[in-house]
Amino acid sequence: MRIGILTGGGDAPGLNAAIRAVARRAFQLGHQVSGVKNGWAGCLEEGLIDELTPADVRGILPLGGTILGTSRTNPSKEQNGIPRVIRTLRHHGVDGLVPIGGDDTLSVAAKLHEAGFRTVGVPKTIDNDLSATEFCIGFDTAVGVVTEALDRLHTTASAHHRVMVVEAMGRDAGWVALMGGIAGGADMIIIPEFEVPLSDVVAHLYRRRGEGKLFSIIIVAEGAHIPELEREQGGESEKDAFGHVRLAKRGIGDILASAIEHETGFETRVTVLGHLQRGGSPSPVDRIWATRLGVAAVELIVNGQSGVIPIRRNGDVEVVPIAEVVAQTRRVPKELYELTQVFV
Ligand code: F6P
């Protein structure tokens, strides 16, 4: 059979490891592989589906980004989008598709399956917010970027006795900020799942100063809510093809830093990590699990499965319906958030 590979949505370190795994396992089982360029856009325009050869996937394991390119194109927003996707794939002789993506990409993959086209997904998003799976490609590397940033910011915050506000990605979930904050020793972690009044932030900073801690590192997730600051946030108008607000436009890091300086008089600076969390070479964890899930996806699709996705659960590979993975946003549980209160 001819297997198509597609990478959709925000890019993430580890995508190329997954592409390599899907292709190499397919070749080993005697199948052909096509690469779909630029996410779902590659299934809606001509000339964006090409043969992938063993040479094409050589040396890409440590490479960030995706050799196929990606987009936030949503076929469901296009007229006859899903039938057109299927027609384009079949026109290129593709018998089954492995879309690698997050909730948006995989929601379209579920519709493809429902329309009768053989589809097996692979979970990817630095946000780590897909239900059912403990692992999403890109999350571990993003946490590493945040950790290194906090380590670096500790030395300059300490030198100047400053408050450092760090804004992390994660969309509507706080996984990147939480895990990066724990690993990087943040003094306060503010995430969308648990609202924090500005008064609590101010009181916390005064308490630390009273204890002789002359600098503080606060990490705030881009989607976090601080009631007193909501009215100042911008960005609610600009949305992508899946209806997501561009949360970076809210500017919560800047707004929080200004509010802290105004309320406390403590010198405060802000670092917005932005797409640094999406760039660079994948961590070993991302390489290993992108490989394991990519190989699993091929074995499922060549064995006739469709509408399913290999995930990591209890440290091993399991298989669940794609619909289960996109059913709801996986949010940080209270007991994990409470762990952070020990160290602040
Ligand atoms: O979904 C991954 C993600 O990095 C989010 O954390 C972030 O809000 C969004 O993508 C940014 O989207 P874009 O790369 O389109 O600016």
Side-chain angles (χ1 to χ4, degrees), residues 58-78:
R58 200 165 294 141
I60 67 171
L61 175 62
L63 195 59
T66 161
I67 60 170
L68 295 175
T70 184
S71 71
R72 292 192 181 281
T73 298
N74 180 1
S76 305
K77 292 276 188 185
E78 307 287 333

Side-chain angles (χ1 to χ4, degrees), residues 9-11 72 102-104 124-127 129 168-173 176 222 240 244-248 274-275 277-278:
D11 75 304
R72 292 192 181 281
D103 51 356
D104 297 337
K124 172 280 312 171
T125 173
I126 70 159
D127 303 339
D129 60 358
M169 281 184 164
R171 213 185 281 288
D172 299 319
V176 176
E222 62 182 352
D240 66 20
H244 294 300
V245 169
R246 282 190 58 193
L247 291 174
H275 287 70
Q277 300 157 99
R278 293 252 297 274

Side-chain angles (χ1 to χ4, degrees), residues 124-336:
K124 172 280 312 171
T125 173
I126 70 159
D127 303 339
N128 196 43
D129 60 358
L130 291 176
S131 305
T133 181
E134 296 161 355
F135 172 83
C136 296
I137 292 171
F139 172 63
D140 185 71
T141 306
V143 171
V145 170
V146 174
T147 304
E148 185 190 352
L150 294 190
D151 288 350
R152 289 176 178 277
L153 290 169
H154 265 87
T155 61
T156 178
S158 171
H160 285 267
H161 320 306
R162 282 170 169 166
V163 178
M164 285 291 181
V165 173
V166 183
E167 182 180 319
M169 281 184 164
R171 213 185 281 288
D172 299 319
W175 291 102
V176 176
L178 181 96
M179 293 306 193
I182 291 173
D187 302 306
M188 190 169 207
I189 299 174
I190 305 173
I191 58 177
E193 291 85 345
F194 303 97
E195 196 173 88
V196 175
L198 178 62
S199 53
D200 286 9
V201 178
V202 169
H204 182 67
L205 293 172
Y206 274 126
R207 179 173 66 75
R208 283 180 53 82
R209 285 278 167 133
E211 294 167 358
K213 298 167 182 172
L214 301 181
F215 74 89
S216 293
I217 307 275
I218 298 176
I219 188 163
V220 58
E222 62 182 352
H225 300 284
I226 301 176
E228 300 92 322
L229 305 180
E230 291 288 347
R231 67 188 174 286
E232 297 175 51
Q233 287 159 11
E236 295 298 331
S237 56
E238 195 175 330
K239 295 185 178 179
D240 66 20
F242 288 89
H244 294 300
V245 169
R246 282 190 58 193
L247 291 174
K249 292 273 189 180
R250 293 175 75 221
I252 191 164
D254 276 308
I255 294 167
L256 176 58
S258 301
I260 289 170
E261 209 160 47
H262 179 263
E263 294 293 321
T264 65
F266 300 157
E267 252 199 320
T268 305
R269 295 293 185 271
V270 62
T271 300
V272 179
L273 294 176
H275 287 70
L276 286 172
Q277 300 157 99
R278 293 252 297 274
S281 181
S283 68
V285 165
D286 273 327
R287 298 181 194 193
I288 291 163
W289 277 93
T291 297
R292 288 194 64 176
L293 297 186
V295 166
V298 169
E299 291 171 352
L300 288 163
I301 207 163
V302 301
N303 289 328
Q305 297 255 14
S306 180
V308 293
I309 184 167
I311 61 163
R312 187 178 81 191
R313 182 183 282 163
N314 301 325
D316 212 336
V317 178
E318 291 196 13
V319 181
V320 298
I322 293 178
E324 186 177 321
V325 159
V326 299
Q328 59 185 10
T329 300
R330 183 170 175 258
R331 296 190 179 282
V332 172
K334 190 167 179 55
E335 60 272 10
L336 197 49

